[in-house]
DNA sequence: ATAATTGCAAAGCGTTTGCACCCTG
DNA sequence: CAGGGTGCAAACGCTTTGCAATTAT
């Protein structure tokens, strides 16, 4: 009972925090958008649009599939969430800390770790310049096996 | 006329070379497979399955769409061609030199340059180990503007 | 009131698959 | 004649879109 109250309180706090993120990105914090973002925040690994839709469908705050897609597209564009493409044919989404970084994805359980600090820019600029290119962006995705899956 | 003979000759030479690549990959060199590979070889940039299908459809050696897909999947698996995913939702294919390398893609004209020599492995191994991961593979794709598109 | 947002269902699009036919070995 | 390869069309799965209803400012 006390725990119940506590978690209810925490959920409220989190929702306010998420609403803040939305406002900061100039995204109107509708019930659906906060719900989608909360689902993403509670996801240990990354999640596809379909997974989020399925999860919310069974909750007490369902959100239409189209809205899930529209929300994720908007949030990706506004850099509130990261879109990963290690899945081929399906996009995965993840709530990340800000700044440029890359991801380490476990091929077995889909656990995702952030790889902070990218030291590629300098090398890329040099190597690209040799071919007349000016790099505008890059994506690096590392696939591997996490400790738990390796020892299991 | 002489030129015609010449190019005909060159085409034969190239086809034999391509057949060799297929045999080396333990892929039976059928007419369709050689045709798909030749289309890829004559492509200045990278190409999607649909593009290759469309091009061959208008040539005198059409190949069914399903066969194009099956061939590209097989050749990718056998490391005869590289599959790039900078397009989101659609895979691009390219005939590459062997060995591990990355790509520089022009966002305007889709020109692709190979970026030889990848110095990421060491850094990745270290950074991954800190999180208990053992990296098995990685993909780096650099998007930029090529010289021609920048000055145009 | 005005403009943005949502849900639903239909359409879109790239890709895969079932199956009969064909060719090669 | 046995087995892989091919073509066609249908099926698939993810994503987008048109539109009317709803909601926020």
């Amino acid at each position: 009972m006390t725990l119940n109250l506590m978690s209810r309180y925490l959920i409220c706090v989190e929702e306010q925090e998420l609403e803040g993120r939305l406002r900061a990105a100039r995204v109107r914090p509708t019930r659906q958008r906060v719900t989608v973002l909360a689902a993403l925040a509670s996801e240990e690994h990354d999640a596809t649009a379909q997974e989020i839709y399925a999860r919310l469908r069974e909750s007490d705050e369902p959100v239409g599939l189209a809205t899930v897609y529209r929300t994720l597209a908007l949030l990706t564009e506004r850099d509130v969430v990261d879109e990963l493409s290690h899945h081929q044919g399906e996009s995965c989404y993840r709530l990340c800390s800000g700044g440029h970084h890359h991801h380490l994805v476990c091929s077995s359980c889909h656990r995702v770790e952030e790889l902070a600090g990218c030291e590629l820019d300098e090398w890329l600029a040099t190597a690209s310049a040799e071919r007349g290119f000016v790099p505008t962006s890059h994506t690096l995705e590392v696939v591997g096996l996490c400790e738990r899956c390796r020892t299991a």
Side-chain angles (χ1 to χ4, degrees), chain A residues 23-85:
Chain A
R23 280 187 219 282
R26 304 180 317 282
V27 172
R28 198 193 292 180
T30 63
R31 175 189 75 77
Q32 288 87 339
R33 286 170 177 172
V34 173
T35 304
V36 168
L37 197 54
L40 218 43
S42 74
E43 199 72 47
E44 189 185 1
H45 309 327
D46 54 359
T48 64
Q50 301 281 348
E51 285 168 350
I52 292 173
Y53 169 70
R55 166 161 311 194
L56 296 180
R57 174 209 264 279
E58 295 169 3
S59 76
D60 50 352
E61 299 207 73
V63 174
L65 179 59
T67 301
V68 171
Y69 273 102
R70 284 188 279 235
T71 299
L72 290 171
L74 182 63
L75 296 184
T76 299
E77 186 195 309
R78 297 288 222 279
D79 288 320
V80 178
V81 305
D82 278 9
E83 183 177 12
L84 313 195
S85 49

Side-chain angles (χ1 to χ4, degrees), chain A residues 65-118:
Chain A
L65 179 59
T67 301
V68 171
Y69 273 102
R70 284 188 279 235
T71 299
L72 290 171
L74 182 63
L75 296 184
T76 299
E77 186 195 309
R78 297 288 222 279
D79 288 320
V80 178
V81 305
D82 278 9
E83 183 177 12
L84 313 195
S85 49
H86 55 92
H87 224 67
Q88 193 230 29
E90 202 171 7
S91 290
C92 292
Y93 298 87
R94 186 157 197 279
L95 193 54
C96 283
S97 61
H100 177 66
H101 62 272
H102 299 293
H103 295 107
L104 208 48
V105 186
C106 176
S107 52
S108 170
C109 72
H110 280 193
R111 167 187 306 279
V112 178
E113 294 266 352
E114 292 184 30
L115 223 42
C118 163

